Amino acid sequence: MKYFFKTNLLVLVVIVFWGCGESEPIQTDVQKLETIAVGPLFEGVNTATVEFDVQKILPTGVKKEQLTEVRIKSIQLSLVNTEAPTPNSFTVLLASPNTSMKECGFLKEESIKINNYKVSLAEEQEFLVEILQDKMQTLVIDFNLEGDWYDDLSITAAIDWELKIKN
Amino acid sequence: MNIKVLLFSFFLVPLLMVAQDEEDYSMYDDLEYADEGATTFASPKIIGLSPNRFINVAWDVQSPYTMNTSDTIGYLPDASWEIKESSNVNYTGGLRLNANIPVISRNNIVWQMGANYMNTNFSIDDADPSDGPILSELDRTSLNTTGLFTTVFKPLNDKQFLIFQGQADYNGNYTFTDFHSFGLTKYSAAVLWGKRPHDRLQWAIGASRTYRVGELNYVPIIMYNWTSKKEKWGTEILFPAKANGKYWMNKNSLIMFGYELEGGSYHLEGLSNNGNSFELRRGAVRPRIEWNRKLVGFFWLNAQLGTRINYGFTYDELENGKEFFRGFFGQQEIAAFSSLGTSLYGLVGISFVSL
Amino acid sequence: MKKFKTLAIFFVGLFLLTSMVGDSEDADKLVGVWEPSNKKIKVKIDKISGKYYGKIVWLREPIDPVTGKPKTDKNNPDESLKDVALKGFRMLKDFVYNGNGEWSEGTIYDPQNGSTYSSVIKLKDENTLDIRGFIGLKTFGRTDVWKRLVMKNKK
C-alpha cells in the first residue's frame, strides 16, 4: 500500500512537470500570402481570400498540432495591382473549417493615406492556436473600394508569426 | 468507369458551382427588393437600456428598525392610533427568484412568460403572542410571494407600440407544505401605448391595477426610457413604480440611481378567522443606487444599496377573502396599523441577461 | 452480374451527384444581399471555404453623429478593434447548411451593444430569411425577418 501511494505520487509529479513544460519558440520565415478578389469589383466592400496550410512554414519535424502559443507579430499588406483604385479600409480576418472566423487587425484610413500598410493588430489573439491547428486556414481581407475595377485584385499579406511549441 | 463517375460526382460539380459564384454588385445603395421589403416594427429596446434579465437570483436584507403596531380593533383610514406592540426588528430579508422567458420573440410581437418568488423573513425581538398577535405572527412565519406573469409587446408600426402586462401573485405567510386558499391570489395588470421616436428614446402612457403600495389601486403610468447621444447617461422610468437615472461607466458596468416602489398584500393565516382574510398591506419606497456589472458572457452581477422608507404597513380584514378597492379616498375600515422605522437595505443578485 | 454491379454504382453515383448539386444549390440560396426589417443596414452574405459569412455593405446612417466620422465598431469587446469600420464588418459568421433551408452553427453580432449571439437562419421563401439570434438555448432569443435585395435590372 505504501508503495502504491509513492508510485502514484511519482506519476503525479511527472505529469505535473510534463504539463508545466516551458513552451519553446520556433523560428519561421515571414509568411507571404497572396489573396485574390475575383473581378470585376465594384465600388464598396469587397473581399479577397486565400486558403493556406501553416504546416508548410513550420520547421521539419514540427507538427502544427504541437503549437501551444501563437501570436501575430506583424502583418504588412501590399497591393499587387498598382493601377487599381486604392481601397480606403482593410480588415484582416482568419478562419478555419472547425473554428470561428476572427478579426486579426485592420488598417485605418489615415495610415493608408500615408502609404503605411502595417496592420493594427487585435490585442486578443488567443483564438489563433485553434485556427492554426486546424486542417487548413483561410486568410480573408475585406476592403472598401472607392471606385470600380474590372479585373481581379490581389493583396499580399506578409505575416510574421510568433510560434511556440511544447518542449 | 465507376470510380470516374464517383469522382465526377464528388469533385467536379462543386467546382462548377463555385465558378458560377461571382461578385456582381456595384452600388449597394442602388438595389431593390426581390419581391417586397419587410415591414419595420418598433423594437422593444432602445440603445443603452439596462440588461434585460431572463433569470435573476438575489438576496435582499434590511438593517434593524423599530416596528410599532396598533391593536386589531378597526380604525378609519385617517384615524390616530395608539401603540399596542413595539419591538425591534433585527433582521428582514430573504431570497428573490425571477424568470422571464420569451415564448414568442419576433420583430412583429414579443410575448414573454415569467415566474417570480420572493421571501421575506422577520426576526423580531420579544415577539410574545401575549403582548399582541401581529408581531409574533410575523416573527413566527415568513412572507412569501409566488407569482406568474406575462408581458406582450406589440408594435403597431415602426414607431408606435402597445404593452400589456398581467400578473397573478399568491401572497401570504404560507409554506410550501401548507398552502392557503388560491382564491386569495392577487391580480395586477397594466396597459400602455407608446412611441419610439428614435433608437435612444421610447415613451408610453397607460394605466395599471397594482398592489405596489400594499393595497389595491388603479393608477396612471408613464414610461420614459432615454439614452444620451454619447450613450453614457439616460433614464429608465416607469412612474410611479420606479424611476432611475443611469450612467454607463463602460460597456460592462452600469450605475443606476433612483427609487422603486415595492409592496404587496399578504394573507396572514394565523390572524384570519371565520373565512375572512387578514391581510398585511405592505408598501415601501426604496431610494437606492444600483451597480450592474458583467461577470462573464451573459451573466451579470447586480448590487443595490439604499434605504427602505415605509409607505404603508396596514392590515385589512377581507370579508370571505373578498378584495375591495379603497383607493386614495375610500373610508373602509382598516383593521390595524403598523409604523416602521426607516432602514438601510442591500441586495445582491446574479442574472442571466440579454443586452 | 458485373454489368449489374457497374450499373448499380453508376446509379448510386448519379444519385449522389444530383443530391449534392441540389444541396449545394439550396445552400447557396443564402448568398446575396439582404436587408433586416429595421432597414438600417444591408448585409452581403458570401461563401468562404464552405461556410457562409455576412458583411455590412451599406449603412443608412454611415456617419457617427458624435464624432462626425464614418461609424466604427465602437462597442467591440476588444478595445484594439474599436476603430474597425462598420461598413464591411462581418456580423454573420460561420453558418453551415444543414439541409431543409436551414443554416446553423453561426453567430450574429449586434454592433449596437457589442454582443455576439448564437444564430440560426431559415429560408422562409426564396427572398425571405428568418434570422434568430439567441443565448445558449433558442428560447432566449429573437427572430428578425430579412429580405433579399437585387440589382435593379436583375428583377
Side-chain angles (χ1 to χ4, degrees), chain A residues 49-66:
Chain A
T49 62
V50 65
E51 289 177 357
F52 67 100
D53 185 355
V54 79
Q55 184 64 56
K56 288 183 180 159
I57 61 153
L58 298 181
T60 318
V62 175
K63 293 227 155 51
K64 58 185 173 185
E65 290 78 11
Q66 289 173 262

Side-chain angles (χ1 to χ4, degrees), chain B residues 92-111:
Chain B
T92 309
L95 179 71
R96 294 168 177 215
L97 304 171
N98 197 289
N100 193 12
I101 314 294
V103 181
I104 300 172
S105 185
R106 300 184 59 84
N107 60 327
N108 60 349
I109 188 164
V110 179
W111 173 32

Side-chain angles (χ1 to χ4, degrees), chain B residues 123-242:
Chain B
S123 171
I124 304 173
D125 281 349
D126 307 321
D128 192 338
S130 60
D131 296 336
I134 291 179
L135 294 186
S136 66
E137 178 77 359
L138 291 177
D139 180 58
R140 192 177 57 79
T141 59
S142 63
L143 301 179
N144 292 313
T145 296
T146 310
L148 289 173
F149 58 91
T150 185
T151 309
V152 177
F153 176 92
K154 176 63 193 160
L156 302 172
N157 52 41
D158 62 333
K159 293 272 189 287
Q160 297 181 52
F161 58 87
L162 286 175
I163 297 174
F164 170 76
Q165 190 171 39
Q167 183 156 352
D169 284 323
Y170 177 60
N171 300 339
N173 58 347
Y174 54 84
T175 63
F176 285 101
T177 52
D178 178 23
F179 283 108
H180 307 150
S181 163
F182 283 100
L184 301 168
T185 303
K186 306 296 178 193
Y187 298 97
S188 316
V191 181
L192 291 122
W193 167 86
K195 276 192 148 185
R196 188 183 183 279
H198 53 78
D199 284 344
R200 292 177 291 101
L201 174 66
Q202 61 180 179
W203 60 264
I205 49 169
S208 72
R209 172 194 160 100
T210 177
Y211 285 88
R212 283 262 178 183
V213 289
E215 55 188 77
L216 173 64
N217 217 331
Y218 295 90
V219 291
I221 320 172
I222 297 169
M223 184 178 99
Y224 192 84
N225 296 335
W226 164 79
T227 303
S228 69
K229 252 186 184 178
K230 289 188 177 174
E231 299 171 24
K232 284 279 183 195
W233 294 92
T235 61
E236 286 183 24
I237 295 168
L238 190 63
F239 184 80
K242 54 187 168 184

Side-chain angles (χ1 to χ4, degrees), chain B residues 118 145 166-171 183-190 208-219 240-241 261-267 277 279-285 311-314 316 318 321-327:
Chain B
M118 187 171 96
T145 296
Q167 183 156 352
D169 284 323
Y170 177 60
N171 300 339
L184 301 168
T185 303
K186 306 296 178 193
Y187 298 97
S188 316
S208 72
R209 172 194 160 100
T210 177
Y211 285 88
R212 283 262 178 183
V213 289
E215 55 188 77
L216 173 64
N217 217 331
Y218 295 90
V219 291
L261 279 178
E262 187 180 281
S265 182
Y266 297 83
H267 169 79
S277 175
E279 304 224 346
L280 162 62
R281 314 285 206 173
R282 176 172 79 139
V285 187
Y311 179 87
F313 211 91
T314 59
D316 278 325
L318 273 56
K322 208 176 158 203
E323 184 58 274
F324 65 85
F325 171 59
R326 180 184 287 116

Side-chain angles (χ1 to χ4, degrees), chain B residues 32-33 36 38 40 105 199, chain C residues 35 37 39-40 143 147 150:
Chain B
E32 63 180 356
Y33 297 111
E36 56 182 10
T40 305
S105 185
D199 284 344
Chain C
E35 185 188 69
S37 71
K39 300 183 171 72
K40 286 180 187 167
T143 302
K147 298 297 282 189
V150 291

Side-chain angles (χ1 to χ4, degrees), chain B residues 254-275:
Chain B
L254 168 69
I255 298 278
M256 298 183 83
F257 40 90
Y259 79 90
E260 181 162 14
L261 279 178
E262 187 180 281
S265 182
Y266 297 83
H267 169 79
L268 301 179
E269 180 70 4
L271 302 173
S272 299
N273 298 307
N274 307 321

Side-chain angles (χ1 to χ4, degrees), chain A:
Chain A
M1 196 65 177
K2 201 169 81 181
Y3 290 111
F4 173 77
F5 281 120
K6 274 188 176 172
T7 318
N8 271 359
L9 193 70
L10 194 71
V11 169
L12 193 71
V13 168
V14 169
I15 289 171
V16 167
F17 272 91
W18 184 73
C20 297
E22 283 277 302
S23 289
E24 180 192 311
I26 53 169
Q27 296 302 317
T28 55
D29 292 335
V30 171
Q31 187 172 25
K32 283 198 171 177
L33 296 165
E34 190 175 327
T35 62
I36 292 176
V38 179
L41 305 172
F42 298 94
E43 185 186 334
V45 183
N46 291 277
T47 300
T49 62
V50 65
E51 289 177 357
F52 67 100
D53 185 355
V54 79
Q55 184 64 56
K56 288 183 180 159
I57 61 153
L58 298 181
T60 318
V62 175
K63 293 227 155 51
K64 58 185 173 185
E65 290 78 11
Q66 289 173 262
L67 292 169
T68 53
E69 281 179 55
V70 176
R71 279 198 75 77
I72 296 173
K73 282 195 268 189
S74 70
I75 303 176
Q76 184 76 36
L77 300 183
S78 53
L79 295 169
V80 178
N81 318 67
T82 46
E83 325 82 76
T86 309
N88 59 15
S89 76
F90 293 86
T91 308
V92 180
L93 305 101
L94 271 171
S96 77
N98 299 303
T99 66
S100 177
M101 181 184 277
K102 298 278 188 186
E103 286 79 14
C104 298
F106 68 105
L107 271 182
K108 292 180 191 173
E109 199 173 354
E110 299 88 72
S111 41
I112 296 167
K113 277 179 186 161
I114 55 165
N115 277 327
N116 178 6
Y117 285 85
K118 193 174 176 191
V119 172
S120 297
L121 295 171
E123 232 157 67
E124 286 174 29
Q125 297 192 8
E126 287 78 18
F127 56 87
L128 286 171
V129 177
E130 234 188 345
I131 291 179
L132 293 205
Q133 284 180 343
D134 211 345
K135 56 188 172 192
M136 60 168 248
Q137 294 75 42
T138 307
L139 177 70
V140 178
I141 300 177
D142 289 328
F143 56 95
N144 191 40
L145 269 187
E146 278 189 328
D148 299 342
W149 175 249
Y150 297 98
D151 202 349
D152 293 355
L153 197 138
S154 298
I155 304 165
T156 302
I159 307 177
D160 193 1
W161 298 102
E162 186 182 313
L163 305 173
K164 286 184 182 175
I165 55 165
K166 195 173 273 181
N167 248 335

